[in-house]
Amino acid sequence: MNQFTHINASGEANMVDVSGKSETVREARAEAFVHMAPETLALIVSGQHHKGDVFATARIAGIQAAKKTWDLIPLCHPLLLSKVEVQLEAIEAENKVRIESCCKLAGKTGVEMEALTAASVAALTIYDMCKAVQKDMVIDQVRLLEKTGGKSGHFKVEA
């Protein structure tokens, strides 16, 4: 099993030194789901939600969150992201919203945390905007879908 990279020989948390790593193109995709009542989803889809365009707000929040990941997660490096994309899809048959994020850069460290943060914050934003009409929404299955680049190579979730 691999060792934790953020723990030093004394067992203390440390930021990983990436100065000796090669720059490569790195990309990561993540997803999250928000489950809700059919009436709540209908408000979002119809654009009738009293707080405005829920998907547009969640998309912007996810993009902003990816850019601020280093400020939110203590041992993450500040990154110059070249791409952040957040897509939202209403799955009306299952009363849920699927969020997929994609982050990309050419750098010395991966963008998995940025993709996960984007999906998570977009989901939290949906919750925040809709909590006045439904407080028992559930955010779940926040996970990394795929990552490419870097020493550890390609990872993709099994279908």
Side-chain angles (χ1 to χ4, degrees):
M1 186 158 130
N2 293 333
Q3 299 294 316
F4 288 114
T5 57
H6 289 80
I7 307 295
N8 69 12
S10 303
E12 302 163 331
N14 270 330
M15 186 180 218
V16 174
D17 180 3
V18 297
S19 61
K21 288 184 163 187
S22 300
E23 267 199 21
T24 62
V25 174
R26 298 159 186 263
E27 187 169 341
R29 293 184 312 109
E31 74 178 351
F33 291 89
V34 184
H35 301 263
M36 61 193 68
E39 300 81 16
T40 306
L41 187 56
L43 281 174
I44 294 170
V45 171
S46 69
Q48 299 301 309
H49 195 287
H50 71 281
K51 286 193 175 181
D53 189 337
V54 175
F55 280 7
T57 305
R59 183 176 299 106
I60 292 167
I63 292 167
Q64 285 298 106
K67 295 178 353 181
K68 301 280 282 172
T69 299
W70 68 274
D71 205 21
L72 299 169
I73 311 288
L75 302 177
C76 284
H77 294 84
L79 301 178
L80 294 172
L81 297 169
S82 58
K83 173 185 179 179
V84 179
E85 185 176 274
V86 177
Q87 298 177 352
L88 298 104
E89 171 192 10
I91 304 173
E92 295 180 75
E94 298 176 36
N95 301 314
K96 65 184 178 183
V97 173
R98 179 177 182 269
I99 301 150
E100 184 173 327
S101 64
C102 177
C103 294
K104 186 175 181 179
L105 60 62
K108 296 182 176 205
T109 189
V111 289
E112 297 93 334
M113 292 309 301
E114 287 70 16
L116 287 161
T117 300
S120 298
V121 171
L124 289 168
T125 301
I126 290 171
Y127 185 95
D128 180 53
M129 291 187 74
C130 297
K131 69 182 186 272
V133 294
Q134 183 184 354
K135 291 186 178 18
D136 65 346
M137 290 172 284
V138 174
I139 297 169
D140 72 0
Q141 205 170 329
V142 178
R143 65 181 181 158
L144 181 68
L145 294 173
E146 185 173 15
K147 74 90 147 170
T148 59
K151 187 173 84 174
S152 64
H154 187 224
F155 163 82
K156 187 171 185 177
V157 162
E158 299 287 328

